Amino acid sequence: MTNATEYVQRIQNNIHQKDTGQVEFLQAIDEFMPSATQFLEKHPEYIKRNILGLLSEPERIIQFRVPWQDGEGNWQVNRGYRIQYNSAIGPYKGGLRFHPSVNLSILKFLAFEQIFKNSLTGLPIGGGKGGSDFDPKGKSDDEIMRFCQSFMMELSKHIGPSIDVPAGDIGVGAREIGYLFGEYKRLKQYDAGVLTGKPLDFWGSKIRTEATGYGLVYYVKHLLQAEKDSFEGKTVMVSGSGNVAIYAIEKVQELGGKVITCSDSSGFIYDPEGIDLALLKEVKEEKRERLTAYAEKRDSAVYHAGQSVWTLKETADIALPCATQNEIDETLANNLVECGVKIIAEGANMPCTLEAVNVFEKANVWYCPGKAANAGGVAVSALEMSQNAQRLSWESEQVDRQLDEIMKNIYQTCRQTAAAYGNEKNLLLGANVAGFEKVAKVMYAQGLV
Ligand code: NDP
């Protein structure tokens, strides 16, 4: 056993002991540690300074009560969090998730991944994440507003344009960011750079809404180009029908691919003629309806209630999971391989279990991990921060060009780093090592803080 192996195992065991039961967080740790071992074998100086031990421990975890009044006048309470995981390379940056499943484990996994994702963008942002177990589904606009205001009442004590800059995630879109921003302004001052993902009317960036989905497709585009291929004529399966999924579908279609599926937590749509994007946007973005409404209005669509989209047995070239964590397990991964899928790129964070990733590796399927492939959202958030600091608003073409360039760099960094470690196709190894390397170097230089 090498020194690095023994050192990393000690840290990993320690985390498992301290954080028993935090399933998603431990999964993210277990996925990262083999790459860290390979990196540390080449960099014993970081073992000597225990950089991985320091990095594994969140700098700060804030948990708070969120009291709010529902439409019937009842007093309700939810739990709010902000994980400020690592600020080596810049202010904490990462989204807010409002979903009933939210707990400390899920937010710690998301914040941990965010450290490496943000590092890969090449922009000066640290890693953080936050949210609440509040369920926005079925709530009125006024209830959402009151909840956001109460959430910000506490969160405002801990954030700022140079401290911590939250954005959206599941259940938090432009509407919620608007209410959160309004409350921050009332409590503190007008500071455009305190949140990103803002509506365009008050200092939001063009292309931020589209950025994660577009960026995901750009990442795959660069992979295809390197393999002398393109999206033209490809059949693509997508999960989810939220922000990431919708704009991934839009960009795939623009590049000549056909998307045959999308889903929500109640079921999935199979549309062999290709998803009608205008209808999907009308149903999900304008009317905030369920996917059953899409199926009712589209003759070619078949709705499968209560089933995972990844059970579909149809031929496809590319799969883009864009819903949530752990949606693809070993069995579903095997199904995708049988469907002929050659590339899996994660729009969601950690949608594939460790066992699913092993299936893809064995089947020689390209696996593009979320921390690299879905970094476009946070990258454009960082560009939004730059625009806010300059008090300027850049044109769509400029932001889109920069997004494409950033995704190309991330893809190339992953592939070149993987190649330097003797495994060119292992983009997970490339992403982990390249993301970690930059943070480790900076932590080393900043001393024991
Ligand atoms: P949205 O809230 O806009 O959409 C989420 C979609 O996923 C909805 O279709 C939702 O269905 C579905 N979904 C959520 N939870 C589940 C579940 N437990 N089972 C099945 N389906 C589910 O979120 P986003 O599109 O913003 O986020 C999707 C993923 O992308 C998340 O993993 C997020 O962390 C990740 N991501 C998002 C970024 C962003 O910029 N927004 C940036 C990087 C990553 P339903 O409506 O039924 O709940």
Side-chain angles (χ1 to χ4, degrees), residues 52-169:
L52 183 65
L54 290 171
L55 182 141
S56 308
E57 195 63 32
E59 289 175 17
R60 193 172 300 103
I61 294 180
I62 302 146
Q63 185 186 311
F64 50 97
R65 182 170 76 185
V66 190
W68 59 281
Q69 197 167 21
D70 70 21
E72 278 80 54
N74 303 308
W75 289 14
Q76 301 282 357
V77 64
N78 282 93
R79 195 171 276 185
Y81 305 88
R82 186 70 183 164
I83 318 289
Q84 298 181 332
Y85 215 125
N86 191 288
S87 61
I89 58 176
Y92 309 104
K93 181 95 196 82
L96 297 172
R97 177 177 291 192
F98 291 170
H99 192 273
S101 65
V102 162
N103 58 30
L104 197 54
S105 167
I106 288 181
L107 293 180
K108 277 174 70 186
F109 117 64
L110 289 164
F112 184 70
E113 294 268 296
Q114 196 82 41
I115 302 170
F116 310 108
K117 182 187 308 193
N118 293 3
S119 163
L120 282 169
T121 65
L123 300 165
I125 37 180
K129 200 83 189 187
S132 173
D133 57 2
F134 173 72
D135 186 358
K137 261 193 220 120
K139 302 286 190 302
S140 69
D141 258 10
D142 283 350
E143 288 174 320
I144 301 269
M145 179 182 72
R146 282 196 295 274
F147 179 82
C148 288
Q149 289 174 339
S150 181
F151 187 85
M152 184 52 87
M153 180 77 82
E154 182 60 33
L155 187 70
S156 63
K157 298 171 190 164
H158 311 284
I159 62 174
S162 309
I163 303 168
D164 183 352
V165 183
D169 189 75

Side-chain angles (χ1 to χ4, degrees), residues 344-363:
I344 311 277
E346 297 181 332
N349 286 305
M350 211 168 72
C352 301
T353 64
L354 290 171
E355 294 76 18
V357 176
N358 287 338
V359 169
F360 299 138
E361 267 178 25
K362 281 201 194 107

Side-chain angles (χ1 to χ4, degrees), residues 92-312:
Y92 309 104
K93 181 95 196 82
L96 297 172
R97 177 177 291 192
F98 291 170
H99 192 273
S101 65
V102 162
N103 58 30
L104 197 54
S105 167
I106 288 181
L107 293 180
K108 277 174 70 186
F109 117 64
L110 289 164
F112 184 70
E113 294 268 296
Q114 196 82 41
I115 302 170
F116 310 108
K117 182 187 308 193
N118 293 3
S119 163
L120 282 169
T121 65
L123 300 165
I125 37 180
K129 200 83 189 187
S132 173
D133 57 2
F134 173 72
D135 186 358
K137 261 193 220 120
K139 302 286 190 302
S140 69
D141 258 10
D142 283 350
E143 288 174 320
I144 301 269
M145 179 182 72
R146 282 196 295 274
F147 179 82
C148 288
Q149 289 174 339
S150 181
F151 187 85
M152 184 52 87
M153 180 77 82
E154 182 60 33
L155 187 70
S156 63
K157 298 171 190 164
H158 311 284
I159 62 174
S162 309
I163 303 168
D164 183 352
V165 183
D169 189 75
I170 292 179
V172 179
R175 173 181 58 171
E176 290 74 19
I177 293 288
Y179 293 143
L180 290 163
F181 184 76
E183 183 66 10
Y184 181 87
K185 178 171 73 80
R186 174 164 72 162
L187 293 168
K188 308 280 268 227
Q189 59 188 16
Y190 200 113
D191 238 333
V194 72
L195 290 167
T196 60
K198 297 182 291 296
L200 292 179
D201 298 334
F202 45 98
W203 297 102
S205 173
K206 302 202 175 77
I207 306 293
R208 175 59 189 92
T209 306
E210 297 85 350
T212 308
Y214 278 17
L216 171 70
V217 176
Y218 289 151
Y219 187 97
V220 177
K221 176 185 79 172
H222 292 296
L223 166 60
L224 286 165
Q225 275 174 2
E227 299 297 299
K228 312 257 178 297
D229 203 347
S230 77
F231 266 102
E232 195 62 50
K234 294 280 185 295
T235 301
V236 181
M237 290 167 74
V238 169
S239 67
S241 52
N243 172 260
V244 179
I246 286 176
Y247 292 95
I249 295 171
E250 182 163 287
K251 190 51 78 177
V252 169
Q253 292 183 346
E254 257 179 61
L255 297 181
K258 181 161 95 169
V259 180
I260 55 167
T261 62
C262 64
S263 68
D264 61 21
S265 53
S266 316
F268 78 91
I269 295 280
Y270 170 52
D271 193 339
E273 308 236 309
I275 296 291
D276 178 339
L277 187 63
L279 177 59
L280 184 65
K281 282 187 178 179
E282 182 194 307
V283 167
K284 299 304 291 188
E285 290 188 331
E286 285 163 39
K287 299 193 173 153
R288 294 180 184 270
E289 291 174 328
R290 307 296 296 163
L291 280 178
T292 39
Y294 176 96
E296 278 159 20
K297 292 175 192 153
R298 174 102 170 144
D299 290 343
S300 57
V302 186
Y303 182 70
H304 297 263
Q307 286 181 50
S308 160
V309 62
W310 307 117
T311 56
L312 184 70

